[in-house]
Amino acid sequence: MILKILSLIFLILLVRIAFSVWRLLSQITKTANRMKEELDGNSRYTARNRNSSQQVYGRRDEQQKIIPEDEGEYVDYEDV
C-alpha cells in the first residue's frame, strides 16, 4: 500500500517537472523567435510596443559625431 502511494507521488512529481521543463522551453523558443524577427526587421512587436520617447541605440550615421566639439573631449597632442 505504501509503495503504491509513493509511486503515485513520484509519478505526479515527474509529470509536474516535465510540464515545467516544457513550459520553460516553450518560453525560450518564443523569446528567441521574437528576437530573430526584431533583428530581421519584420516584427509585429517593435512598432506597437515602443513608445515615441524610447530611444533606439546603435543606429547612427558613421560620420555623425557622438560628442559635440564644444565639449572639449578632443585634444590636439603634440609629441615633444
Side-chain angles (χ1 to χ4, degrees):
M1 182 70 177
I2 294 177
L3 186 61
K4 288 183 181 181
I5 293 173
L6 288 176
S7 62
L8 181 64
I9 291 173
F10 179 73
L11 184 64
I12 290 172
L13 286 174
L14 191 65
V15 168
R16 178 148 174 117
I17 290 171
F19 178 71
S20 296
V21 168
W22 174 78
R23 194 171 63 189
L24 178 67
L25 290 176
S26 174
Q27 187 67 31
I28 290 172
T29 304
K30 285 180 186 177
T31 304
N33 287 339
R34 185 179 301 163
M35 290 174 68
K36 184 177 182 239
E37 286 178 359
E38 286 183 11
L39 287 175
D40 291 342
N42 54 355
S43 175
R44 62 179 181 229
Y45 301 103
T46 52
R48 185 176 61 194
N49 291 339
R50 183 176 295 141
N51 294 335
S52 61
S53 64
Q54 289 179 332
Q55 186 175 1
V56 178
Y57 297 100
R59 296 191 182 168
R60 65 176 182 87
D61 191 22
E62 288 290 327
Q63 302 299 323
Q64 181 183 2
K65 289 192 180 267
I66 296 174
I67 300 172
E69 290 184 21
D70 61 346
E71 290 282 327
E73 180 69 25
Y74 301 104
V75 179
D76 292 331
Y77 179 76
E78 294 181 11
D79 192 19
V80 178

